[in-house]
Amino acid sequence: MPNSLPRIVLAFVVTLGLVLLGGGPASAATASSPGRGIDVSWPQCGTTPAKQPAFAIVGVNHGLANNTNPCLASQLAWAKTAKAPATTAQPRVALYVNTANPGRQGTWWPTSNTYSGVKVANPYGSCAAGTFKACSYMYGWAKASDDAKRRGVSNPQSYLWWLDVEAENTWQTDKAANVAVLEGMTAYFKRIGARVGLYSTGYQWGQIAGTVKSTSPLAGLPSWLAGAGSAAKAKANCTLPGLTPGSRVSMTQYISGGLDFNYSCG
């Protein structure tokens, strides 16, 4: 999840359109409206969003892929006040997690294809041999494992997990290695039976991941697009291409009063 300062800047920038950076999930709304979803995370700690949004998305991390939102428990409790039964095509409650590829400069970097006692089938070969894409894949797997097991999420398999892909986090110039991280995360979440989606703007996705192969596990995952400056623009953005081959735009984010709301594309 992005940190708070760039969120303030982006609230202004998004009005220029999708050609620039979009707003991230971190800046969430504090008031609800019929049919609108809301996303919250650590910047909203200490605030009380309006109950019974159409749907809710909660950020699991505290700005980085390797830490925890200190208000996760209370925000999940709030999210579960979302209208029931579901009134849109979105699940009543979903989660999003930060993603990154810090490489060997990170505070932790894998050295094998085993994490937390699990030997992982790695499509990129051996991380122990120093293959960078193989280690990138393992980094993604490990961060997803931590998100599911160590952040305080009960029944992680029951959620849709959105992977927040933004330039504010650390990435490599090797886009294929960045894709490997996201594939590793996707593989872990699917292994436990959870659903997975991708959050970004078309511009940022192109800078970080580039064009993904149709054979990638990322192909066909639902897309959550940021960058709209109004509800009308968000609705129009539902017709944009998804982030990967075969991907459908499932949800779009927009700014209203400096806050983030979400529109379900159905």
Side-chain angles (χ1 to χ4, degrees), residues 38 57 91 109 126 137 151 172 175 198 200 204 222 225 236 265:
I38 302 175
I57 311 101
W109 188 246
S126 172
Y137 185 91
R151 310 290 179 214
Q172 302 299 306
K175 295 179 182 180
L198 303 170
S200 195
Q204 290 183 90
L225 297 185
C265 297

Side-chain angles (χ1 to χ4, degrees), residues 39-134:
D39 54 77
V40 298
S41 193
W42 62 272
Q44 286 72 50
C45 287
T47 66
T48 305
K51 292 183 178 180
Q52 293 191 310
F55 56 94
I57 311 101
V58 179
V60 171
N61 306 110
H62 189 193
L64 298 173
N66 60 359
N67 57 20
T68 305
N69 172 7
C71 299
L72 180 58
S74 61
Q75 290 178 347
L76 273 173
W78 161 80
K80 291 175 182 178
T81 71
K83 294 177 181 178
T87 58
T88 73
Q90 303 305 316
R92 292 177 57 247
V93 182
L95 304 174
Y96 78 86
V97 293
N98 285 100
T99 64
N101 187 349
R104 297 180 180 90
Q105 292 72 42
T107 56
W108 177 84
W109 188 246
T111 57
S112 74
N113 285 353
T114 299
Y115 185 73
S116 193
V118 176
K119 186 175 181 180
V120 178
N122 195 323
Y124 293 102
S126 172
C127 177
T131 305
F132 190 69
K133 283 195 288 188

